[in-house]
Amino acid sequence: MTLIKSISGIRGTIGGQSGDNLTPIDAVKFAAAYGVWLKEYAKKEKLTVVIGRDARLSGEMIQNLVVSTLVGLGIDVIDLDLSTTPTVEIAVPLEKADGGIILTASHNPKQWNALKLLNEKGEFLNAAEGALILEIAEKEDFSFAEVDDLGSITRNDSYIDIHIDEVLNLSLVDADTIRKAKFKVVVDGVNSTGGIAIPKLLEELGVEVVKLYCEPSGHFPHNPEPLKEHLGDICELVIKEKADFGIVVDPDVDRLAFISNDGEMFGEEYTLVACADYVLSKTKGNTVSNLSSSRALRDISEKHGGTYEAAAVGEVNVVTKMKANNAVIGGEGNGGIIYPESHYGRDSLVGTALFLMLMAEKGGTVAELRASYPSYFMSKKKIQLTPDLDVDAILTAMAEKYKDEEISTIDGVKIDFPENWVHLRKSNTEPIIRIYTEAKSQSEADLLADRIINEIKEAAGI
């Protein structure tokens, strides 16, 4: 059982001992710390916070604890109940709220949950703000409101519909163009809130929808991380239904993966590549992704006359660099699309609409589209951490070993070889070292990852 306290929020497994897991006590403590921080940050007499959650089994319990804690601090709450991460992000500025909390452990299995913290723009807090909240939580110096000053709760379950309207109003989304294409799409909502939001969006766009695991019960029918090894059912159903493609999202709907018409993975990395291809064909500009994302985005950006830059892993880091570079689209290679015309957050609804526009205008099949892009293959592996491992020393040793190559140490260690690359970093959300590699063939990427894992084990003496 695990509790991970990081600058991006608090994430842990449900049950067990407080302080070691995400128990009710821990949920209250960190919700209170956020509320105390927000009062100081906003410097306002009366505050409002938007709350939404995915459909995981512990969601209602954690929601009740967090909402009641904020009310106890005298903060008003707008409760969206079942929602998505990007829906909460757009709701915060639309409601003129002072912040937001999304209750989701994203791609983690059902025993996990988390508090993701937003500022008044509906964007994730930066490192300094997150660190302050962790300090407040450790001190547990909370002052709650008197009975006449308690906050209020307003329930609003209309925001997924509002979110869809916002997507339909984007300048590069034309519903009539998509309707004329008469697409048929299979949707795997992993029995969470994507099963509500994505079919609704598609139906508004005149797409025939075949639903798979779209009941928001929280009983995930497979590992909720949208990777090839977890998605056999939708791959088979796309072929059986003769669908144009399939859509898979994670439980909080900020990661988007496509299944091609032939039942093969389009590739999470290529979600951003395809959406960027469409946006850059209409809007000249630059792109940003993180260090663990494919070189294919750089290639597509340069094809359209733009420039590409890499940020440290983490949505807040990508957003910061996007703002600095005036990027017209960006995101992460895990299927996260950030389109600033909508908002600065990963959004599978926005990504779905942009992809539909690309396909409607280009014609042909999704498999043909994928074949038209530069062909790179990634391997994503991990090493489980134990308390005695000195991760920083391991990463330093790897950087020294490959010092004659192009090295970046802004986030772990990335080693750029002429024909491939490897990125090593300690995860912010799990007790692991991630080893990402990319090469011109899958076997080459896998061999590079295995070689680096063996070298790490040697350096660590394991």
Side-chain angles (χ1 to χ4, degrees), residues 106-168:
S106 193
H107 64 275
N108 288 118
K110 68 177 182 179
Q111 64 266 36
W112 290 77
N113 212 329
L115 281 66
K116 291 183 175 182
L117 310 176
L118 305 175
N119 62 19
E120 79 283 1
K121 297 175 184 175
E123 299 170 15
F124 288 113
L125 306 187
N126 63 34
E129 292 162 346
L132 273 175
I133 291 168
L134 292 179
E135 282 181 26
I136 295 166
E138 289 307 309
K139 290 177 183 174
E140 296 189 40
D141 185 17
F142 310 130
S143 178
F144 290 92
E146 302 288 337
V147 68
D148 290 329
D149 299 320
L150 294 174
S152 64
I153 303 171
T154 303
R155 304 196 188 279
N156 187 338
D157 62 1
S158 66
Y159 255 96
I160 286 178
D161 292 325
I162 293 169
H163 187 178
I164 289 169
D165 288 341
E166 292 282 311
V167 174
L168 296 178

Side-chain angles (χ1 to χ4, degrees), residues 32 159 193 238 246 252 339 342 412:
Y159 255 96
T193 50
V238 166
D252 69 324
Y339 184 48
S342 176

Side-chain angles (χ1 to χ4, degrees), residues 184-351:
K184 181 179 183 180
V185 175
V186 180
V187 177
D188 179 351
V190 74
N191 284 344
S192 189
T193 50
I196 303 171
I198 299 296
K200 269 192 174 187
L201 171 66
L202 293 175
E203 285 160 3
E204 285 287 328
L205 292 166
V207 175
E208 181 183 348
V209 180
V210 179
K211 295 182 182 179
L212 176 67
Y213 308 135
C214 284
E215 286 297 320
S217 65
H219 291 283
F220 302 150
H222 54 75
N223 185 307
E225 188 164 14
L227 303 177
K228 181 178 182 178
E229 56 266 32
H230 308 147
L231 301 177
D233 291 351
I234 187 172
C235 292
E236 290 177 10
L237 194 55
V238 166
I239 294 172
K240 180 182 174 184
E241 291 285 341
K242 296 182 172 59
D244 292 291
F245 60 97
I247 293 174
V248 185
V249 291
D250 65 339
D252 69 324
V253 203
D254 64 358
R255 286 176 65 173
L256 174 65
F258 297 117
I259 311 299
S260 295
N261 53 291
D262 57 4
E264 295 296 322
M265 293 291 294
F266 188 75
E268 260 197 315
E269 292 290 330
Y270 284 82
T271 300
L272 177 55
V273 173
C275 291
D277 189 19
Y278 173 66
V279 170
L280 292 170
S281 73
K282 308 290 185 182
T283 312
K284 297 302 179 190
N286 306 321
T287 64
V288 172
S289 66
N290 66 38
L291 285 165
S292 287
S293 299
S294 175
R295 283 182 181 175
L297 181 61
R298 178 198 64 186
D299 297 347
I300 289 295
S301 303
E302 292 173 354
K303 183 189 91 169
H304 287 288
T307 60
Y308 163 79
E309 291 201 47
V313 173
E315 187 170 323
V316 66
N317 299 317
V318 174
V319 166
T320 299
K321 191 167 279 288
M322 286 180 69
K323 289 177 178 179
N325 295 347
N326 295 313
V328 296
I329 189 168
E332 298 183 290
N334 60 10
I337 305 300
I338 302 174
Y339 184 48
E341 187 186 322
S342 176
H343 64 115
Y344 277 105
R346 296 184 302 179
D347 191 330
S348 295
L349 280 76
V350 168

